[in-house]
Amino acid sequence: MPLPDWLFETLACPKCKNPLPLPLGEGRGEGIKPPGSTSVNPHRDELHCENCRLAYPIRGGVPELLLEESHPLPSSGS
């Protein structure tokens, strides 16, 4: 069972405490951009922290907000 949107709106990065944007999905339009964010997560199975450049997996509809479970986002430069 997926988590409701209002719960995603309260999630924060465990490293820097910045809000995490909603992943894209049905009924979520283009997602939510937190202050200072320049992009919305294009993946439905991860939450991205643009500040720390880390991705946190969503498994079975539950965000895994542990630094040990995160992985670096690809660099945006060429």
Side-chain angles (χ1 to χ4, degrees):
M1 178 169 137
L3 295 174
D5 287 350
W6 65 265
L7 184 57
F8 276 100
E9 293 171 12
T10 65
L11 298 179
C13 174
K15 185 174 181 180
C16 71
K17 310 301 185 226
N18 276 354
L20 294 170
L22 287 172
L24 290 175
E26 286 186 34
R28 292 190 176 140
E30 294 185 20
I32 292 177
K33 294 181 184 180
S37 176
T38 57
S39 67
V40 173
N41 179 6
H43 306 286
R44 296 177 69 184
D45 59 349
E46 293 182 334
L47 292 172
H48 291 179
C49 178
E50 294 294 332
N51 187 52
C52 293
R53 303 293 303 151
L54 291 173
Y56 299 94
I58 300 173
R59 295 185 183 116
V62 178
E64 302 283 338
L65 297 179
L66 300 170
L67 290 175
E68 303 84 43
E69 297 292 327
S70 69
H71 63 86
L73 289 172
S75 61
S76 55
S78 334

